[in-house]
mmCIF file of all heavy atoms in Angstrom:
data_model
loop_
_atom_site.group_PDB
_atom_site.id
_atom_site.type_symbol
_atom_site.label_atom_id
_atom_site.label_comp_id
_atom_site.label_asym_id
_atom_site.label_seq_id
_atom_site.Cartn_x
_atom_site.Cartn_y
_atom_site.Cartn_z
ATOM 1 N N TYR A 34 -0.242 27.311 4.553
ATOM 2 C CA TYR A 34 -0.637 25.919 4.726
ATOM 3 C C TYR A 34 -1.363 25.674 6.034
ATOM 4 O O TYR A 34 -1.343 26.516 6.937
ATOM 5 C CB TYR A 34 0.552 24.966 4.557
ATOM 6 C CG TYR A 34 1.460 24.770 5.760
ATOM 7 C CD1 TYR A 34 1.241 23.719 6.650
ATOM 8 C CD2 TYR A 34 2.545 25.606 6.002
ATOM 9 C CE1 TYR A 34 2.085 23.505 7.733
ATOM 10 C CE2 TYR A 34 3.388 25.396 7.081
ATOM 11 C CZ TYR A 34 3.156 24.346 7.944
ATOM 12 O OH TYR A 34 3.979 24.132 9.018
ATOM 13 N N GLU A 35 -1.988 24.526 6.100
ATOM 14 C CA GLU A 35 -2.655 24.050 7.309
ATOM 15 C C GLU A 35 -2.238 22.612 7.539
ATOM 16 O O GLU A 35 -1.963 21.875 6.573
ATOM 17 C CB GLU A 35 -4.183 24.098 7.139
ATOM 18 C CG GLU A 35 -4.776 25.461 7.331
ATOM 19 C CD GLU A 35 -4.483 26.029 8.711
ATOM 20 O OE1 GLU A 35 -4.691 25.334 9.716
ATOM 21 O OE2 GLU A 35 -4.033 27.188 8.787
ATOM 22 N N ALA A 36 -2.186 22.205 8.776
ATOM 23 C CA ALA A 36 -1.932 20.793 9.093
ATOM 24 C C ALA A 36 -3.068 20.360 10.005
ATOM 25 O O ALA A 36 -3.319 20.992 11.030
ATOM 26 C CB ALA A 36 -0.597 20.635 9.792
ATOM 27 N N THR A 37 -3.768 19.313 9.609
ATOM 28 C CA THR A 37 -4.856 18.836 10.455
ATOM 29 C C THR A 37 -4.963 17.319 10.364
ATOM 30 O O THR A 37 -4.077 16.672 9.794
ATOM 31 C CB THR A 37 -6.193 19.543 10.130
ATOM 32 O OG1 THR A 37 -7.176 19.111 11.070
ATOM 33 C CG2 THR A 37 -6.693 19.248 8.728
ATOM 34 N N PHE A 45 -10.873 17.278 11.511
ATOM 35 C CA PHE A 45 -10.944 17.991 12.793
ATOM 36 C C PHE A 45 -11.068 19.498 12.564
ATOM 37 O O PHE A 45 -10.217 20.104 11.919
ATOM 38 C CB PHE A 45 -9.678 17.690 13.606
ATOM 39 C CG PHE A 45 -9.616 18.406 14.923
ATOM 40 C CD1 PHE A 45 -10.499 18.090 15.940
ATOM 41 C CD2 PHE A 45 -8.664 19.395 15.144
ATOM 42 C CE1 PHE A 45 -10.447 18.757 17.157
ATOM 43 C CE2 PHE A 45 -8.606 20.066 16.363
ATOM 44 C CZ PHE A 45 -9.501 19.740 17.368
ATOM 45 N N HIS A 50 -9.857 25.536 10.403
ATOM 46 C CA HIS A 50 -8.624 25.456 9.605
ATOM 47 C C HIS A 50 -8.765 26.289 8.334
ATOM 48 O O HIS A 50 -7.819 26.969 7.925
ATOM 49 C CB HIS A 50 -8.293 23.999 9.265
ATOM 50 C CG HIS A 50 -7.579 23.295 10.383
ATOM 51 N ND1 HIS A 50 -6.255 23.526 10.689
ATOM 52 C CD2 HIS A 50 -8.019 22.399 11.283
ATOM 53 C CE1 HIS A 50 -5.909 22.791 11.720
ATOM 54 N NE2 HIS A 50 -6.961 22.099 12.111
ATOM 55 N N ARG A 53 -8.353 29.866 9.201
ATOM 56 C CA ARG A 53 -6.953 30.254 9.396
ATOM 57 C C ARG A 53 -6.198 30.293 8.073
ATOM 58 O O ARG A 53 -5.341 31.157 7.855
ATOM 59 C CB ARG A 53 -6.275 29.317 10.401
ATOM 60 C CG ARG A 53 -4.948 29.861 10.904
ATOM 61 C CD ARG A 53 -4.398 29.073 12.061
ATOM 62 N NE ARG A 53 -4.061 27.712 11.681
ATOM 63 C CZ ARG A 53 -3.660 26.772 12.532
ATOM 64 N NH1 ARG A 53 -3.550 27.056 13.818
ATOM 65 N NH2 ARG A 53 -3.367 25.563 12.139
ATOM 66 N N PHE A 89 -3.456 12.193 8.663
ATOM 67 C CA PHE A 89 -2.849 13.510 8.805
ATOM 68 C C PHE A 89 -3.017 14.201 7.448
ATOM 69 O O PHE A 89 -2.852 13.561 6.413
ATOM 70 C CB PHE A 89 -1.364 13.328 9.145
ATOM 71 C CG PHE A 89 -0.557 14.571 9.044
ATOM 72 C CD1 PHE A 89 -0.567 15.499 10.080
ATOM 73 C CD2 PHE A 89 0.226 14.839 7.925
ATOM 74 C CE1 PHE A 89 0.176 16.669 9.987
ATOM 75 C CE2 PHE A 89 0.969 16.011 7.832
ATOM 76 C CZ PHE A 89 0.942 16.915 8.879
ATOM 77 N N LEU A 90 -3.370 15.471 7.444
ATOM 78 C CA LEU A 90 -3.514 16.213 6.182
ATOM 79 C C LEU A 90 -2.689 17.486 6.227
ATOM 80 O O LEU A 90 -2.783 18.240 7.205
ATOM 81 C CB LEU A 90 -4.953 16.666 5.967
ATOM 82 C CG LEU A 90 -6.035 15.645 5.727
ATOM 83 C CD1 LEU A 90 -7.051 15.713 6.836
ATOM 84 C CD2 LEU A 90 -6.718 15.930 4.411
ATOM 85 N N ARG A 91 -1.905 17.701 5.184
ATOM 86 C CA ARG A 91 -1.245 18.999 5.030
ATOM 87 C C ARG A 91 -1.853 19.651 3.796
ATOM 88 O O ARG A 91 -1.790 19.098 2.697
ATOM 89 C CB ARG A 91 0.260 18.845 4.864
ATOM 90 C CG ARG A 91 0.926 20.197 4.597
ATOM 91 C CD ARG A 91 2.397 20.076 4.605
ATOM 92 N NE ARG A 91 2.855 19.819 5.959
ATOM 93 C CZ ARG A 91 3.812 20.511 6.569
ATOM 94 N NH1 ARG A 91 4.415 21.484 5.943
ATOM 95 N NH2 ARG A 91 4.161 20.227 7.787
ATOM 96 N N LEU A 148 0.305 35.014 14.160
ATOM 97 C CA LEU A 148 1.121 34.804 12.963
ATOM 98 C C LEU A 148 0.349 34.061 11.872
ATOM 99 O O LEU A 148 -0.419 33.147 12.182
ATOM 100 C CB LEU A 148 2.359 33.971 13.318
ATOM 101 C CG LEU A 148 3.335 34.556 14.333
ATOM 102 C CD1 LEU A 148 4.531 33.616 14.501
ATOM 103 C CD2 LEU A 148 3.822 35.933 13.901
ATOM 104 N N LYS A 150 0.188 31.249 8.920
ATOM 105 C CA LYS A 150 0.905 29.978 8.745
ATOM 106 C C LYS A 150 1.339 29.912 7.284
ATOM 107 O O LYS A 150 0.556 29.569 6.403
ATOM 108 C CB LYS A 150 -0.029 28.825 9.113
ATOM 109 C CG LYS A 150 0.683 27.516 9.386
ATOM 110 C CD LYS A 150 -0.226 26.590 10.177
ATOM 111 C CE LYS A 150 0.298 25.182 10.315
ATOM 112 N NZ LYS A 150 1.536 25.034 11.054
ATOM 113 N N TYR A 154 9.307 28.906 7.200
ATOM 114 C CA TYR A 154 9.540 28.217 8.475
ATOM 115 C C TYR A 154 11.028 28.124 8.820
ATOM 116 O O TYR A 154 11.403 27.348 9.697
ATOM 117 C CB TYR A 154 8.918 26.808 8.431
ATOM 118 C CG TYR A 154 7.600 26.743 9.190
ATOM 119 C CD1 TYR A 154 6.525 27.522 8.800
ATOM 120 C CD2 TYR A 154 7.447 25.955 10.327
ATOM 121 C CE1 TYR A 154 5.333 27.504 9.501
ATOM 122 C CE2 TYR A 154 6.254 25.925 11.033
ATOM 123 C CZ TYR A 154 5.208 26.701 10.609
ATOM 124 O OH TYR A 154 4.025 26.682 11.315
ATOM 125 N N ASN A 157 12.026 28.544 12.411
ATOM 126 C CA ASN A 157 11.585 27.394 13.213
ATOM 127 C C ASN A 157 12.496 26.189 12.953
ATOM 128 O O ASN A 157 12.829 25.441 13.868
ATOM 129 C CB ASN A 157 10.136 27.029 12.875
ATOM 130 C CG ASN A 157 9.188 28.191 13.092
ATOM 131 O OD1 ASN A 157 9.544 29.344 12.864
ATOM 132 N ND2 ASN A 157 7.989 27.924 13.539
ATOM 133 N N MET A 174 10.593 29.129 21.488
ATOM 134 C CA MET A 174 11.124 30.335 20.869
ATOM 135 C C MET A 174 10.754 31.581 21.687
ATOM 136 O O MET A 174 9.665 31.659 22.268
ATOM 137 C CB MET A 174 10.630 30.442 19.430
ATOM 138 C CG MET A 174 11.101 29.240 18.599
ATOM 139 S SD MET A 174 10.759 29.423 16.846
ATOM 140 C CE MET A 174 8.998 29.314 16.850
ATOM 141 N N GLU A 183 6.320 30.309 21.338
ATOM 142 C CA GLU A 183 5.753 28.979 21.068
ATOM 143 C C GLU A 183 6.872 27.999 20.765
ATOM 144 O O GLU A 183 8.039 28.377 20.688
ATOM 145 C CB GLU A 183 4.775 29.067 19.891
ATOM 146 C CG GLU A 183 5.399 29.613 18.619
ATOM 147 C CD GLU A 183 4.396 29.832 17.481
ATOM 148 O OE1 GLU A 183 3.252 29.346 17.562
ATOM 149 O OE2 GLU A 183 4.780 30.491 16.502
ATOM 150 N N GLY A 184 6.505 26.721 20.564
ATOM 151 C CA GLY A 184 7.466 25.735 20.075
ATOM 152 C C GLY A 184 7.614 25.918 18.571
ATOM 153 O O GLY A 184 6.984 26.799 17.983
ATOM 154 N N THR A 185 8.414 25.086 17.914
ATOM 155 C CA THR A 185 8.636 25.298 16.476
ATOM 156 C C THR A 185 7.448 24.829 15.640
ATOM 157 O O THR A 185 7.246 25.309 14.531
ATOM 158 C CB THR A 185 9.921 24.596 15.990
ATOM 159 O OG1 THR A 185 9.788 23.197 16.212
ATOM 160 C CG2 THR A 185 11.144 25.117 16.714
ATOM 161 N N THR A 186 6.663 23.867 16.179
ATOM 162 C CA THR A 186 5.422 23.458 15.499
ATOM 163 C C THR A 186 4.335 23.193 16.542
ATOM 164 O O THR A 186 3.509 22.287 16.385
ATOM 165 C CB THR A 186 5.604 22.162 14.652
ATOM 166 O OG1 THR A 186 6.183 21.166 15.483
ATOM 167 C CG2 THR A 186 6.437 22.376 13.419
ATOM 168 N N SER A 187 4.346 23.977 17.610
ATOM 169 C CA SER A 187 3.364 23.750 18.678
ATOM 170 C C SER A 187 3.185 25.024 19.488
ATOM 171 O O SER A 187 4.044 25.911 19.449
ATOM 172 C CB SER A 187 3.868 22.645 19.621
ATOM 173 O OG SER A 187 5.091 23.041 20.218
ATOM 174 N N ASN A 188 2.094 25.110 20.223
ATOM 175 C CA ASN A 188 1.940 26.187 21.210
ATOM 176 C C ASN A 188 2.470 25.689 22.543
ATOM 177 O O ASN A 188 2.543 24.496 22.786
ATOM 178 C CB ASN A 188 0.468 26.612 21.319
ATOM 179 C CG ASN A 188 0.012 27.377 20.096
ATOM 180 O OD1 ASN A 188 -0.771 26.880 19.297
ATOM 181 N ND2 ASN A 188 0.516 28.581 19.915
ATOM 182 N N ILE A 189 2.854 26.653 23.395
ATOM 183 C CA ILE A 189 3.480 26.291 24.670
ATOM 184 C C ILE A 189 2.621 26.804 25.831
ATOM 185 O O ILE A 189 2.015 27.874 25.733
ATOM 186 C CB ILE A 189 4.947 26.808 24.726
ATOM 187 C CG1 ILE A 189 5.677 26.331 25.977
ATOM 188 C CG2 ILE A 189 5.008 28.336 24.655
ATOM 189 C CD1 ILE A 189 6.435 25.074 25.794
ATOM 190 N N VAL A 206 2.545 34.671 17.893
ATOM 191 C CA VAL A 206 2.235 33.267 18.164
ATOM 192 C C VAL A 206 1.202 32.814 17.130
ATOM 193 O O VAL A 206 0.314 33.590 16.767
ATOM 194 C CB VAL A 206 1.628 33.143 19.596
ATOM 195 C CG1 VAL A 206 1.149 31.738 19.892
ATOM 196 C CG2 VAL A 206 2.645 33.596 20.659
ATOM 197 N N LEU A 207 1.305 31.568 16.682
ATOM 198 C CA LEU A 207 0.259 31.041 15.796
ATOM 199 C C LEU A 207 -0.996 30.792 16.635
ATOM 200 O O LEU A 207 -0.914 30.240 17.738
ATOM 201 C CB LEU A 207 0.719 29.726 15.148
ATOM 202 C CG LEU A 207 -0.253 29.169 14.124
ATOM 203 C CD1 LEU A 207 -0.087 29.861 12.773
ATOM 204 C CD2 LEU A 207 -0.084 27.672 13.936
ATOM 205 N N ASP A 208 -2.128 31.211 16.079
ATOM 206 C CA ASP A 208 -3.419 31.015 16.769
ATOM 207 C C ASP A 208 -3.802 29.535 16.595
ATOM 208 O O ASP A 208 -4.666 29.183 15.795
ATOM 209 C CB ASP A 208 -4.454 31.957 16.120
ATOM 210 C CG ASP A 208 -5.753 32.005 16.887
ATOM 211 O OD1 ASP A 208 -5.840 31.361 17.940
ATOM 212 O OD2 ASP A 208 -6.685 32.683 16.410
ATOM 213 N N GLY A 209 -3.116 28.682 17.347
ATOM 214 C CA GLY A 209 -3.272 27.229 17.200
ATOM 215 C C GLY A 209 -4.699 26.785 17.501
ATOM 216 O O GLY A 209 -5.339 27.315 18.412
ATOM 217 N N LEU A 210 -5.157 25.811 16.738
ATOM 218 C CA LEU A 210 -6.537 25.362 16.957
ATOM 219 C C LEU A 210 -6.657 24.513 18.215
ATOM 220 O O LEU A 210 -7.703 24.499 18.856
ATOM 221 C CB LEU A 210 -7.057 24.635 15.727
ATOM 222 C CG LEU A 210 -7.288 25.632 14.591
ATOM 223 C CD1 LEU A 210 -7.698 24.950 13.326
ATOM 224 C CD2 LEU A 210 -8.341 26.651 14.987
ATOM 225 N N THR A 211 -5.600 23.820 18.596
ATOM 226 C CA THR A 211 -5.619 23.092 19.866
ATOM 227 C C THR A 211 -5.645 24.126 21.009
ATOM 228 O O THR A 211 -6.368 23.963 21.992
ATOM 229 C CB THR A 211 -4.376 22.189 19.993
ATOM 230 O OG1 THR A 211 -4.098 21.630 18.724
ATOM 231 C CG2 THR A 211 -4.580 21.097 21.017
ATOM 232 N N ARG A 212 -4.864 25.193 20.844
ATOM 233 C CA ARG A 212 -4.828 26.291 21.822
ATOM 234 C C ARG A 212 -6.228 26.876 21.984
ATOM 235 O O ARG A 212 -6.740 27.010 23.101
ATOM 236 C CB ARG A 212 -3.836 27.356 21.310
ATOM 237 C CG ARG A 212 -3.648 28.576 22.183
ATOM 238 C CD ARG A 212 -2.723 29.570 21.457
ATOM 239 N NE ARG A 212 -2.391 30.719 22.277
ATOM 240 C CZ ARG A 212 -3.185 31.771 22.455
ATOM 241 N NH1 ARG A 212 -4.371 31.805 21.878
ATOM 242 N NH2 ARG A 212 -2.797 32.789 23.209
ATOM 243 N N LYS A 213 -6.857 27.183 20.856
ATOM 244 C CA LYS A 213 -8.197 27.779 20.858
ATOM 245 C C LYS A 213 -9.194 26.842 21.560
ATOM 246 O O LYS A 213 -9.998 27.273 22.389
ATOM 247 C CB LYS A 213 -8.637 27.946 19.402
ATOM 248 C CG LYS A 213 -9.485 29.163 19.095
ATOM 249 C CD LYS A 213 -10.020 29.032 17.684
ATOM 250 C CE LYS A 213 -9.610 30.049 16.677
ATOM 251 N NZ LYS A 213 -9.633 31.418 16.989
ATOM 252 N N THR A 245 1.076 21.961 22.737
ATOM 253 C CA THR A 245 -0.135 21.483 22.058
ATOM 254 C C THR A 245 0.014 21.625 20.544
ATOM 255 O O THR A 245 0.622 22.579 20.054
ATOM 256 C CB THR A 245 -1.401 22.287 22.458
ATOM 257 O OG1 THR A 245 -1.174 23.684 22.195
ATOM 258 C CG2 THR A 245 -1.794 22.081 23.889
ATOM 259 N N SER A 246 -0.549 20.669 19.823
ATOM 260 C CA SER A 246 -0.763 20.804 18.375
ATOM 261 C C SER A 246 -1.824 19.800 17.959
ATOM 262 O O SER A 246 -2.064 18.818 18.667
ATOM 263 C CB SER A 246 0.529 20.613 17.574
ATOM 264 O OG SER A 246 0.791 19.255 17.371
ATOM 265 N N THR A 247 -2.445 20.064 16.816
ATOM 266 C CA THR A 247 -3.559 19.230 16.354
ATOM 267 C C THR A 247 -3.189 17.757 16.264
ATOM 268 O O THR A 247 -3.975 16.897 16.618
ATOM 269 C CB THR A 247 -4.035 19.721 14.970
ATOM 270 O OG1 THR A 247 -4.474 21.072 15.114
ATOM 271 C CG2 THR A 247 -5.171 18.886 14.428
ATOM 272 N N THR A 248 -1.986 17.487 15.756
ATOM 273 C CA THR A 248 -1.621 16.084 15.551
ATOM 274 C C THR A 248 -1.100 15.428 16.828
ATOM 275 O O THR A 248 -1.056 14.216 16.924
ATOM 276 C CB THR A 248 -0.548 15.964 14.453
ATOM 277 O OG1 THR A 248 0.459 16.921 14.736
ATOM 278 C CG2 THR A 248 -1.158 16.237 13.091
ATOM 279 N N ARG A 249 -0.701 16.224 17.820
ATOM 280 C CA ARG A 249 -0.102 15.636 19.039
ATOM 281 C C ARG A 249 -0.934 15.840 20.294
ATOM 282 O O ARG A 249 -0.588 15.352 21.361
ATOM 283 C CB ARG A 249 1.300 16.220 19.250
ATOM 284 C CG ARG A 249 2.276 15.734 18.218
ATOM 285 C CD ARG A 249 3.567 16.491 18.263
ATOM 286 N NE ARG A 249 3.385 17.856 17.786
ATOM 287 C CZ ARG A 249 4.372 18.679 17.478
ATOM 288 N NH1 ARG A 249 5.616 18.281 17.602
ATOM 289 N NH2 ARG A 249 4.142 19.892 17.034
ATOM 290 N N TYR A 278 -9.414 17.119 27.430
ATOM 291 C CA TYR A 278 -9.367 17.611 26.053
ATOM 292 C C TYR A 278 -9.857 16.545 25.076
ATOM 293 O O TYR A 278 -10.664 16.819 24.183
ATOM 294 C CB TYR A 278 -7.925 18.034 25.705
ATOM 295 C CG TYR A 278 -7.738 18.414 24.256
ATOM 296 C CD1 TYR A 278 -8.074 19.686 23.800
ATOM 297 C CD2 TYR A 278 -7.245 17.494 23.329
ATOM 298 C CE1 TYR A 278 -7.934 20.027 22.467
ATOM 299 C CE2 TYR A 278 -7.098 17.833 21.994
ATOM 300 C CZ TYR A 278 -7.437 19.097 21.574
ATOM 301 O OH TYR A 278 -7.295 19.438 20.244
HETATM 302 N N1 PDD B 301 2.005 23.001 13.275
HETATM 303 N N2 PDD B 301 2.682 26.962 16.365
HETATM 304 C C1 PDD B 301 3.321 26.602 15.225
HETATM 305 C C2 PDD B 301 4.497 27.400 14.777
HETATM 306 C C3 PDD B 301 2.861 25.487 14.475
HETATM 307 O O1 PDD B 301 3.488 25.137 13.338
HETATM 308 C C4 PDD B 301 1.737 24.748 14.948
HETATM 309 C C5 PDD B 301 1.190 23.561 14.220
HETATM 310 C C6 PDD B 301 1.118 25.153 16.158
HETATM 311 C C7 PDD B 301 -0.091 24.436 16.717
HETATM 312 O O2 PDD B 301 -1.235 24.712 15.964
HETATM 313 P P1 PDD B 301 -2.471 23.707 15.906
HETATM 314 O O3 PDD B 301 -2.937 23.493 17.283
HETATM 315 O O4 PDD B 301 -3.468 24.414 15.053
HETATM 316 O O5 PDD B 301 -1.976 22.413 15.271
HETATM 317 C C8 PDD B 301 1.617 26.271 16.824
HETATM 318 C C9 PDD B 301 1.645 21.743 12.628
HETATM 319 C C10 PDD B 301 1.724 20.584 13.543
HETATM 320 C C11 PDD B 301 2.525 21.561 11.409
HETATM 321 O O6 PDD B 301 3.001 22.562 10.914
HETATM 322 O O7 PDD B 301 2.678 20.432 10.954
#
Side-chain angles (χ1 to χ4, degrees):
Y34 82 93
E35 280 301 311
T37 185
F45 178 68
H50 278 286
R53 194 170 65 186
F89 168 81
L90 293 118
R91 176 173 290 231
L148 299 183
K150 198 161 171 64
Y154 258 61
N157 303 35
M174 299 188 291
E183 57 186 347
T185 61
T186 52
S187 61
N188 288 109
I189 186 93
V206 174
L207 185 81
D208 189 3
L210 289 175
T211 322
R212 180 185 185 280
K213 215 190 243 314
T245 56
S246 83
T247 299
T248 48
R249 290 169 290 193
Y278 174 82

